[in-house]
Amino acid sequence: MKRENIIDALDMIDEELLNNAMDYREQKKARRFSFSKLAAIAAAAVLVISATVMTATATYRFEVDPQDANEAFAIAQHYIIQNAENRDPYNVMIAYGLEAWRYDESAEGKLSGLKPVVNLKFKVAGYSYDAVVDLNAGEVIRCDKKYDPNWDDYTEQESYSYAQIHTLISAGKSFDDIGGNINNADAMRILYDYFEINDSCANRFSYFVSEQSANGLGDSCESVTILLSYVHSGYIYSCRIDPVTGEVSDASTTEITDDIYSAKKHLHEHTDNPEFIGFIKACSLASEALGLPDKRDDFPSVLFYYSSQGNYFNGVDFIKPDDVEAFYHYTMRPSTGSNRVNVFLDAKTGEILKIEESDDNLKSNYEGFER
Amino acid sequence: MQDKEIVELFLKRDESAIQNAKSKYDRYLYKIAYNILGDRGDCEECLSDTYLGAWNSIPPQEPSVLQTYLAKLARRSAITILRKRTRDKRRASEYAVSLCELEECLPDNNTPEHEADLKLLADAVNGWLRTLSPDKQAAFIGRYYFSDSIRDIARHLGVSETKVKSMLYRLRADLKKHLEKEEIL
């Protein structure tokens, strides 16, 4: 049968069937909305994080539907991998300071499609990317890559996603850095296989978070276990992977029940070395020192890092005392329009190592922004 | 504005009907056109044809579901543009030109026999579609009528792309079986 015939025959599909198909789609959409609200909130939270610190107004940022932003990011990720700019999907997945907004339609003048053209800015492995993604065509229109000499200077990229925080927790180390027999991509595949996750990193926003267990920091790879958590479609898939044998242990699947913070808490519950204070406690200590209500659930106004070695964080000079093994660094913005406050805590004792208030010239951006 | 009111405007020959239909369904129809044509310029032409088609056909037509009616018009118009485009491209070579000249000696498809065959085929497809569950109907119609991408269908139905692919594969095989049983193939 000729192709033309089938095209013409399909044109004669009963209108009733077409209506039914469309109705069904709408019903699914309505149902999906209610079921996926939590996942959407989680995705939105990532954007909220971005929105708080960028130079334009927060409302402008929110013009992009989180789902569209996720889709655009996935397309950009895929593009980067396809173009051999970064073959390691693990690295591509961790976007630093992702921000997304609707492209300037009036400037382009022809963007009348169903979906927006999204402009994304993000950082991956030392490079800044500025990508424009057309969601109608599902393709990257433009993707500029620029080496970022200030990769370690996060003053302009305050909007850390959850993923990057945890990367910083591992003090800038990647799986490759810690030795053993597996690398980042292997770890990802092991987790995928274990949980039977079907994700070619081309669908939706997702990221890995990695953490060496606290007792492994600075030790040889034999004593290091890797905690890998993968946040995907409202679930966190976590497991420990032995970097030498690739063996999986402590596997769990957790639904993100309230918001993205549960993911954060979940990870910290796995930081099992009693020698170190947990994140929750550290956060409370920092809040107490500042005379603030406990802000741990008020992310993104609280940003935190954990390091065993760094001396320069977020534009604040900080020299780690020799007798301090590891420290937490928090950046807080206590209230709308206030200055940023940096707090450094000894990770073992909770002792305040340094508190510094800084005028970061960004506070005006918060005015009018409501969480 | 409700569909019924827009249709009323068409029936009264009020030109604001087009504007109202446009503001309500332009993006939706654009998507259908873009799925088939993949070109912004052609899509705009297609949409103009669609609204003109609606203006010329209502009345006498009085669609019960305006969205579906416009979707059908948009699809038809997009296919016409696509066929024209393909024809133009074919004519680019001398070989193709010579074939086109020969084609003119052959009967076209608009014969009563051809129309009857098409009707039989369409009836068979409609009959087969009615036997399917709603999600399968939606997947098949989405893919082969509206030319939705696999990704879009997966999103619409709330399932994975892999599932959509395998569902469509099975549906095609099932359709083939059905058409063979009906002695259409």
Side-chain angles (χ1 to χ4, degrees):
Chain A
M1 183 182 298
K2 282 167 122 183
R3 194 171 66 174
E4 295 295 296
N5 288 3
I6 194 86
I7 291 172
D8 289 334
L10 285 175
D11 204 38
M12 294 158 80
I13 286 180
D14 283 353
E15 226 167 272
E16 182 200 343
L17 287 164
L18 298 178
N19 291 339
N20 290 347
M22 278 197 248
D23 281 351
Y24 181 78
R25 197 188 272 190
E26 289 303 315
Q27 281 168 23
K28 287 293 279 188
K29 195 172 153 189
R31 212 177 306 159
R32 196 168 62 247
F33 178 75
S34 59
F35 280 126
S36 65
K37 208 154 54 177
L38 291 177
I41 288 168
V46 175
L47 289 180
V48 168
I49 293 165
S50 300
T52 54
V53 292
M54 295 303 164
T55 50
T57 63
T59 49
Y60 186 51
R61 301 289 176 230
F62 287 115
E63 282 181 17
V64 173
D65 180 84
Q67 198 175 346
D68 285 339
N70 296 344
E71 195 179 341
F73 184 51
I75 292 166
Q77 282 177 327
H78 196 60
Y79 175 87
I80 291 169
I81 295 169
Q82 290 296 307
N83 286 276
E85 289 184 19
N86 192 328
R87 281 287 182 198
D88 185 349
Y90 170 82
N91 281 336
V92 177
M93 278 184 173
I94 299 176
Y96 291 75
L98 170 69
E99 58 173 312
W101 64 92
R102 189 180 293 271
Y103 201 57
D104 184 356
E105 296 195 16
S106 58
E108 287 297 294
K110 57 176 184 178
L111 303 171
S112 54
L114 183 73
K115 293 178 180 175
V117 169
V118 177
N119 190 181
L120 297 168
K121 287 190 178 180
F122 53 95
K123 292 190 176 194
V124 175
Y127 288 90
S128 299
Y129 289 85
D130 185 344
V132 178
V133 180
D134 182 352
L135 289 179
N136 298 295
E139 64 184 24
V140 173
I141 297 172
R142 173 170 66 75
C143 187
D144 298 331
K145 177 183 165 190
K146 198 168 72 180
Y147 176 66
D148 183 4
N150 300 316
W151 177 235
D152 290 322
D153 177 358
Y154 293 98
T155 47
E156 290 176 9
Q157 293 292 329
E158 230 181 11
S159 59
Y160 298 119
S161 70
Y162 173 55
Q164 73 191 115
I165 289 163
H166 280 275
T167 307
L168 285 167
I169 282 175
S170 65
K173 289 181 179 178
S174 72
F175 290 108
D176 294 314
D177 293 332
I178 63 171
N181 297 331
I182 65 167
N183 60 27
N184 299 341
D186 291 336
M188 183 179 73
R189 274 192 293 275
I190 288 170
L191 184 136
Y192 274 10
D193 290 347
Y194 189 87
F195 291 105
E196 297 178 345
I197 297 168
N198 179 19
D199 185 344
S200 59
C201 87
N203 49 21
R204 55 188 72 80
F205 184 78
S206 52
Y207 46 80
F208 268 90
V209 287
S210 61
E211 182 183 12
Q212 294 172 294
S213 65
N215 60 355
L217 282 169
D219 291 342
S220 65
C221 67
E222 284 80 8
S223 64
V224 174
T225 52
I226 299 168
L227 174 64
L228 250 187
S229 282
Y230 176 57
V231 182
H232 176 74
S233 301
Y235 285 87
I236 306 160
Y237 301 91
S238 295
C239 64
R240 288 182 187 278
I241 298 174
D242 186 310
V244 178
T245 63
E247 200 177 315
V248 174
S249 59
D250 292 349
S252 67
T253 307
T254 311
E255 188 175 2
I256 299 176
T257 49
D258 48 0
D259 58 21
I260 203 160
Y261 306 114
S262 56
K264 185 171 70 181
K265 287 170 189 167
H266 174 84
L267 271 186
H268 279 274
E269 281 161 15
H270 283 71
T271 305
D272 51 6
N273 189 336
E275 293 275 298
F276 283 77
I277 58 173
F279 162 71
I280 303 290
K281 192 176 173 197
C283 200
S284 298
L285 284 168
S287 301
E288 195 184 312
L290 292 166
L292 301 169
D294 192 331
K295 304 285 280 183
R296 68 172 180 250
D297 290 327
D298 204 9
F299 206 68
S301 67
V302 180
L303 304 168
F304 67 103
Y305 327 115
Y306 175 41
S307 175
S308 61
Q309 56 188 18
N311 289 324
Y312 180 77
F313 274 85
N314 211 19
V316 181
D317 283 320
F318 178 72
I319 309 294
K320 180 174 78 68
D322 289 342
D323 58 343
V324 172
E325 196 174 338
F327 63 87
Y328 291 97
H329 167 213
Y330 295 86
T331 295
M332 298 188 175
R333 193 176 301 279
S335 60
T336 300
S338 74
N339 283 331
R340 193 167 57 197
V341 178
N342 289 287
V343 183
F344 294 82
L345 287 183
D346 185 316
K348 263 190 180 179
T349 64
E351 184 195 341
I352 306 291
L353 301 171
K354 182 172 184 173
I355 294 184
E356 182 183 277
E357 188 179 12
S358 64
D359 185 349
D360 53 34
N361 300 320
L362 288 171
K363 60 183 177 184
S364 59
N365 294 333
Y366 290 78
E367 279 158 18
F369 173 68
E370 289 177 16
R371 260 191 297 277
Chain B
M1 186 180 272
Q2 296 292 313
D3 280 5
K4 213 173 165 184
E5 295 169 274
I6 299 175
V7 172
E8 279 297 320
L9 291 173
F10 272 111
L11 293 172
K12 284 184 201 158
R13 312 308 291 153
D14 182 336
E15 286 181 18
S16 69
I18 293 178
Q19 200 44 49
N20 281 301
K22 209 171 155 73
S23 62
K24 190 166 181 187
Y25 291 118
D26 210 49
R27 284 156 72 89
Y28 169 72
L29 299 174
Y30 184 94
K31 169 83 171 162
I32 293 172
Y34 194 88
N35 281 345
I36 295 169
L37 295 165
D39 178 274
R40 290 184 198 280
D42 283 350
C43 285
E44 278 159 23
E45 186 188 334
C46 172
L47 260 57
S48 299
D49 288 351
T50 303
Y51 296 122
L52 183 67
W55 180 254
N56 288 336
S57 59
I58 311 173
Q61 298 293 328
E62 202 173 322
S64 56
V65 183
L66 184 64
Q67 186 182 9
T68 312
Y69 187 76
L70 292 175
K72 282 187 85 163
L73 289 177
R75 182 180 180 275
R76 229 171 259 170
S77 162
I79 289 171
T80 306
I81 291 171
L82 186 70
R83 280 176 174 159
K84 184 173 173 290
R85 206 163 70 185
T86 314
R87 216 165 38 230
D88 289 347
K89 209 184 272 179
R90 267 209 312 264
R91 284 187 178 151
S93 77
E94 277 306 316
Y95 172 69
V97 170
S98 64
L99 280 183
C100 283
E101 286 165 4
L102 262 186
E103 245 176 26
E104 287 166 12
C105 307
L106 301 171
D108 63 18
N109 276 343
N110 298 328
T111 59
E113 291 83 0
H114 177 73
E115 293 296 326
D117 284 349
L118 267 188
K119 180 81 175 63
L120 273 179
L121 177 60
D123 286 348
V125 172
N126 279 322
W128 171 76
L129 273 171
R130 287 183 198 288
T131 65
L132 302 179
S133 58
D135 59 332
K136 286 177 182 164
Q137 275 183 9
F140 187 88
I141 288 172
R143 182 64 179 162
Y144 301 112
Y145 189 86
F146 293 117
S147 307
D148 286 338
S149 68
I150 301 286
R151 178 185 291 194
D152 282 348
I153 295 169
R155 206 172 51 217
H156 292 145
L157 301 184
V159 296
S160 70
E161 290 180 33
T162 315
K163 189 168 178 192
V164 172
K165 278 182 200 163
S166 66
M167 188 193 278
L168 289 172
Y169 175 78
R170 279 196 290 269
L171 285 172
R172 287 195 302 270
D174 194 44
L175 175 62
K176 192 177 176 206
K177 220 160 93 183
H178 179 78
L179 294 177
E180 280 168 352
K181 197 174 139 203
E182 297 286 318
E183 297 180 344
I184 290 173
L185 281 186

